Amino acid sequence: EAELAAATTAVAATTSVVLPPPPAWWRRIRVLSWGLVAVAILGLAVVVDGAVGDGAVAPGVLIVLLALAGFSAARSAVRRTSARRVAAAMAGHRGSVRATIVAELERRIGRRLRDVLRPRSVLGAAHTEFMLAVRRDEETLN
């Protein structure tokens, strides 16, 4: 078990997780989010202008709310896509680590265990065949 733990640690330490490149639309989302921040600032300026003067405040509030909703939606899309990318990369990493560990287990334990169990299975099969033959003979005698 200690050797297996050391091998697992060595494999995990020597492999790295490589994320696939981000989608092309991320750059557009980044530009869009900065634009939405600018629109929100413009909306706040309209709210302040309407509050200071006797103008309407509602259009400014509407602009700010729409800009914040758009920013939130863009951020949510990026977060979901990022989570999927990381999950896919980690699944690939887990698969490669698992394959390495299985190969190491096979090399260290599997072959030896099969070499020990093979004669036992041959003996067990012979015993089963013998017992079946005895049962057939008992049935023919009765």
Side-chain angles (χ1 to χ4, degrees), residues 16-142:
S16 62
V17 178
V18 178
L19 288 177
W25 56 268
W26 274 26
R27 177 170 283 143
R28 287 181 236 134
I29 291 291
R30 188 177 302 132
V31 170
L32 176 70
S33 65
W34 282 109
L36 289 172
V37 168
V39 168
I41 291 171
L42 176 68
L44 285 174
V46 170
V47 167
V48 169
D49 185 48
V52 170
D54 289 332
V57 177
V61 171
L62 183 64
I63 291 171
V64 170
L65 290 178
L66 288 175
L68 291 177
F71 183 78
S72 176
R75 184 179 170 129
S76 175
V78 167
R79 189 178 300 136
R80 282 191 312 266
T81 305
S82 177
R84 272 188 247 123
R85 288 175 59 232
V86 169
M90 290 307 296
H93 179 68
R94 272 193 304 272
S96 67
V97 169
R98 185 175 295 133
T100 305
I101 290 171
V102 165
E104 188 68 20
L105 279 173
E106 175 65 23
R107 186 181 70 78
R108 291 183 184 210
I109 298 171
R111 291 181 191 144
R112 294 177 189 162
L113 190 59
R114 274 196 304 279
D115 290 344
V116 169
L117 293 177
R118 187 173 295 119
R120 289 184 181 183
S121 66
V122 170
L123 181 62
H127 180 262
T128 302
E129 288 295 323
F130 176 73
M131 292 307 292
L132 287 172
V134 168
R135 182 165 302 245
R136 278 191 301 260
D137 288 342
E138 288 176 351
E139 289 175 359
T140 57
L141 292 175
N142 290 335

